[in-house]
Amino acid sequence: MGLRVEGFAQVVVEVVQRHAPDFDVATAEMRPSAKGNYLSVTCTFRAVSQEQVDALYRELTSHPMVKVVL
């Protein structure tokens, strides 16, 4: 989740694709917050290892546009 700004969803998708190259971008789900200030991006992929998930989590949480990662 991050601020609803130009390019946020694209950044999230690019990070996910780096760690899960077979991720289908068409399956990404986006939902704005009630007031429209934030955007939730849900990316579902098949993880192949805990290391993959940990690396993805680290990159997402360290990105300045990303506020919350679940």
Side-chain angles (χ1 to χ4, degrees):
M1 179 173 243
L3 289 175
R4 191 174 179 191
V5 295
E6 182 73 31
F8 173 69
Q10 183 64 33
V11 164
V12 172
V13 166
E14 287 171 0
V15 171
V16 172
Q17 284 184 308
R18 269 198 290 281
H19 296 276
D22 59 341
F23 170 66
D24 182 3
V25 177
T27 64
E29 299 174 33
M30 290 168 257
R31 288 182 302 280
S33 64
K35 293 183 181 179
N37 296 325
Y38 294 92
L39 182 66
S40 167
V41 181
T42 301
C43 299
T44 304
F45 65 96
R46 182 175 301 276
V48 294
S49 69
Q50 185 63 49
E51 292 78 19
Q52 175 195 29
V53 175
D54 292 344
L56 173 56
Y57 182 84
R58 278 192 302 274
E59 186 171 353
L60 283 172
T61 57
S62 68
H63 196 286
M65 291 178 81
V66 176
K67 302 298 181 196
V68 176
V69 178
L70 299 175

